[in-house]
Amino acid sequence: MSALNQSGWKPEMGPSGDAKPATFTGNRALMLEEALIFEIGTTDTTGVDLPEVGNVTSRLGGLERNRTIGMPGLSEPETVRHYTRLSRQNYAIDLGFFPLGSCTMKHNPRLNEKVARMAGFADVHPLQPVETVQGALAVINELAVWLIELTGMHGVAMTPKAGAHGELCGILAIKAALEARGDPRSVILVPESAHGTNPATAAFAGFSVENIPATSEGRVDLDALKARLGPDVAGVMITNPNTCGLFERDMKAISDAVHAAGGYVYCDGANFNAIVGRVRPGDLGIDAMHINLHKTFSTPHGGGGPGSGPVVMSKALSPYGPLPFTERHADGRYSLVEEETVGERHPHSFGRMTAFHGQMGMFTRALSYIMSHGADGLRQVAEDAVLNANYILRSLEGTMDAPFAHSGPCMHEALFSDSGLAEGFTTLDIAKGLIDEGYHPMTVYFPLVVHGAMLIEPTETESKATLDQFIGAMRSVVQRAKAGDPSLKSAPHHAPRRRLDETLAARKPMLVWHEPEEAVAAE
Ligand SMILES: *Cc1c(COP(=O)(O)O)cnc(C)c1O
């Protein structure tokens, strides 16, 4: 048996019932099968010629490994093909439409990539003397100025490396502010519809988490929130626009009530894409908000690049933010403030979030995106993102149940439920059917406030033609689920793999490769 067939490819029946003839290789036309590198590589093959190791005396004192490492080897062309084939099995924003909601998978303009690769930015090292990296510090500082301007806030912590990391930064600043005034508040209120990172962050920082209910409109229940406020509440974490795709119209009233009760307001700003240039969170009374540069400002994410989650802060909270940060001097030079000097400067900072200064490559990309769009371009980003989402909502509400369609226009994403599907058909079946249609599925089963949720976010860069084709595919798949088409229950039919046991994969992940004999022995 060839190594390729060991990876489990079996000839299958097509959706129409006609058997697809098996191929000798397991490949399907130009879609190539790919085994694990351990299955195709051997320990005695290598792509490079290394000189023989001379006579060396080990200084490891008997701790040296006494077996070979067993790393698989391939020739250079085989290695290149292996990884190129694997890369072709990835779905990516550069291949097709990515309707994931709550993720903002938007186009990454090539201009950003070009700027990030300029040697003066790409080759700097975080331990270089500051006099030699004035340009890089200027980029960080300039981006910080834009983020403060766009949000109407007082300061910004640039170092957090993702949205969730930014949440931790904001909550630690709130904690430091409470500690500074000797206030032992211990509860953070989080709405039911929140992203899982919100309660996780609050719990990780040592707070207990309590839910705030939503109204039938899908927004925070202001009266229920007010009723729960008190001397034990450290603050709230509210996503705006929220994960039902709705703007929290009562945000100012929420902030005023929380402040009056002595708490702080954290805003999850992952959905800033929908309101950038239109709403300044600072005007809504927010104390801290993370911005996902990889969502709103188009830096790559998913498999494409690291995240970056700067946190803008109010005047009240800024003194407690993390180090380091950049400072611009009157003579135009930049410096890095890396230490708190107790009793003098920045004595209240809670410390560091990261070893160095944050995700430099993401800063250059985000600044290039912001500057190439300008103020008017950024406002149009928000307007077009909202327009596209409403086009999807109104085009599909006749076919699918849209639980908050009555709450008015949505923001940047449209939410649907599984209500109305035939007995036994679920959101998962729709997601798998979409794979056959050539789409990465939308976000499923989130937010939890809707049964069998399907959250679709088109973003601003998708054309009407792209949206129309997607809407057509959604209508087709949903109609099959409503009619109880049995072939949908076993979709995807055209993907390299059929339905995998996702529960088993999550509960018993196989993270180590064993020689086939060992694998049998380990059973
Ligand atoms: C994406 C997202 C987060 C987390 O951001 P990461 O960069 O993935 O850590 C938090 N909240 C909401 C609403 C999000 O969409």
Side-chain angles (χ1 to χ4, degrees):
M1 194 198 253
S2 79
L4 291 179
N5 284 340
Q6 283 173 22
S7 66
W9 190 86
K10 302 244 168 35
E12 277 156 5
M13 303 292 276
S16 51
D18 44 316
K20 292 183 195 158
T23 53
F24 171 76
T25 50
N27 298 333
R28 296 174 176 196
L30 300 182
M31 267 315 295
L32 304 182
E33 265 299 320
E34 192 57 18
L36 296 178
I37 197 163
F38 295 98
E39 292 168 331
I40 53 179
T42 64
T43 48
D44 37 49
T45 309
T46 168
V48 284
D49 290 329
L50 296 171
E52 285 294 325
V53 182
N55 262 343
V56 287
T57 354
S58 167
R59 286 183 286 164
L60 290 172
L63 292 174
E64 56 270 47
R65 169 186 286 275
N66 51 23
R67 294 188 294 148
T68 54
I69 298 179
M71 293 292 277
L74 293 171
S75 69
E76 182 176 298
E78 285 172 323
T79 310
V80 170
R81 282 181 183 160
H82 173 71
Y83 288 106
T84 306
R85 284 180 191 146
L86 287 184
S87 75
R88 283 169 36 123
Q89 297 186 0
N90 260 349
Y91 193 77
I93 195 72
D94 289 341
L95 275 176
F97 177 51
F98 227 107
L100 275 179
S102 195
C103 282
T104 313
M105 298 295 295
K106 62 197 253 179
H107 174 60
N108 312 129
R110 289 304 173 266
L111 178 66
N112 303 355
E113 300 304 314
K114 192 172 168 184
V115 171
R117 282 166 179 72
M118 289 165 71
F121 295 132
D123 296 346
V124 292
H125 190 280
L127 291 178
Q128 260 174 260
V130 284
E131 311 82 68
T132 66
V133 289
Q134 286 291 308
L137 296 184
V139 164
I140 301 177
N141 202 78
E142 183 70 15
L143 179 60
V145 168
W146 270 93
L147 296 180
I148 289 171
E149 180 70 25
L150 285 166
T151 55
M153 300 286 279
H154 181 79
V156 59
M158 297 298 287
T159 55
K161 295 200 170 180
H165 204 209
E167 290 173 31
L168 184 62
C169 174
I171 295 298
L172 289 179
I174 290 174
K175 197 172 173 150
L178 289 170
E179 274 166 11
R181 68 179 199 218
D183 192 337
R185 292 166 184 254
S186 62
V187 177
I188 297 268
L189 304 179
V190 178
E192 281 173 341
S193 63
H195 194 271
T197 50
N198 292 189
T201 297
F204 186 74
F207 292 100
S208 58
V209 179
E210 285 182 33
N211 265 339
I212 320 167
T215 62
S216 61
E217 266 204 333
R219 295 187 168 93
V220 170
D221 186 331
L222 180 60
D223 293 332
L225 172 86
K226 280 184 173 163
R228 180 55 192 84
L229 289 173
D232 59 336
V233 174
V236 294
M237 291 181 87
I238 292 180
T239 309
N240 198 13
N242 71 23
T243 50
C244 299
L246 302 171
F247 188 74
E248 294 286 357
R249 294 189 201 120
D250 290 333
M251 198 63 222
K252 186 76 179 69
I254 292 172
S255 300
D256 290 346
V258 173
H259 288 153
Y264 289 95
V265 180
Y266 187 88
C267 180
D268 180 330
N271 298 331
F272 193 45
N273 199 48
I275 57 172
V276 60
R278 300 285 309 217
V279 179
R280 299 194 316 162
D283 298 336
L284 303 177
I286 283 151
D287 291 300
M289 180 183 97
H290 74 262
I291 299 169
N292 304 60
L293 297 187
H294 47 292
K295 294 177 181 173
T296 306
F297 297 113
S298 87
T299 68
H301 70 140
S308 183
V311 179
V312 286
M313 294 190 191
S314 63
K315 196 166 185 193
L317 214 52
S318 289
Y320 304 96
L323 298 166
F325 55 85
T326 52
E327 245 178 12
R328 187 172 194 275
H329 299 279
D331 64 358
R333 312 283 306 162
Y334 294 90
S335 61
L336 263 181
V337 180
E338 301 216 59
E339 310 271 333
E340 65 263 50
T341 41
V342 178
E344 290 176 49
R345 281 158 53 87
H346 321 294
H348 300 298
S349 165
F350 71 73
R352 271 180 185 263
M353 294 294 291
T354 62
F356 298 117
H357 324 311
Q359 306 282 34
M360 190 62 208
M362 297 300 131
F363 297 159
T364 45
R365 286 176 175 88
L367 185 60
S368 119
Y369 181 79
I370 289 174
M371 294 185 76
S372 57
H373 278 71
D376 55 337
L378 290 175
R379 193 177 322 115
Q380 196 186 338
V381 161
E383 289 167 357
D384 290 353
V386 170
L387 179 66
N388 278 359
N390 279 282
Y391 184 65
I392 288 197
L393 178 65
R394 297 308 162 194
S395 302
L396 288 176
E397 70 177 333
T399 313
M400 301 172 74
D401 175 54
F404 299 124
H406 66 276
S407 310
C410 64
M411 296 302 290
H412 59 304
E413 53 194 356
L415 180 60
F416 301 93
S417 88
D418 62 0
S419 165
L421 305 185
E423 181 72 31
F425 282 75
T426 64
T427 290
L428 189 70
D429 300 322
I430 310 259
K432 298 295 183 189
L434 266 187
I435 294 176
D436 273 342
E437 297 287 348
Y439 292 102
H440 187 289
M442 65 306 238
T443 293
V444 293
Y445 299 106
F446 176 80
L448 305 177
V449 285
V450 165
H451 195 269
M454 287 171 256
L455 188 59
I456 300 175
E457 177 176 357
T459 80
E460 66 281 0
T461 41
E462 300 301 344
S463 67
K464 182 167 178 296
T466 300
L467 298 187
D468 283 336
Q469 197 197 41
F470 174 73
I471 289 162
M474 279 299 288
R475 284 190 183 134
S476 162
V477 175
V478 171
Q479 261 141 18
R480 284 166 66 201
K482 284 172 139 179
D485 174 356
S487 76
L488 187 62
K489 287 283 340 161
S490 49
H493 298 275
H494 300 300
R497 293 293 178 279
R498 305 293 295 275
R499 285 203 195 192
L500 307 177
D501 189 337
E502 286 160 12
T503 314
L504 188 69
R507 292 278 159 81
K508 288 189 168 185
M510 286 170 65
L511 304 175
V512 178
W513 182 77
H514 295 285
E515 293 277 359
E517 310 87 279
E518 276 184 61
V520 173
E523 286 293 302

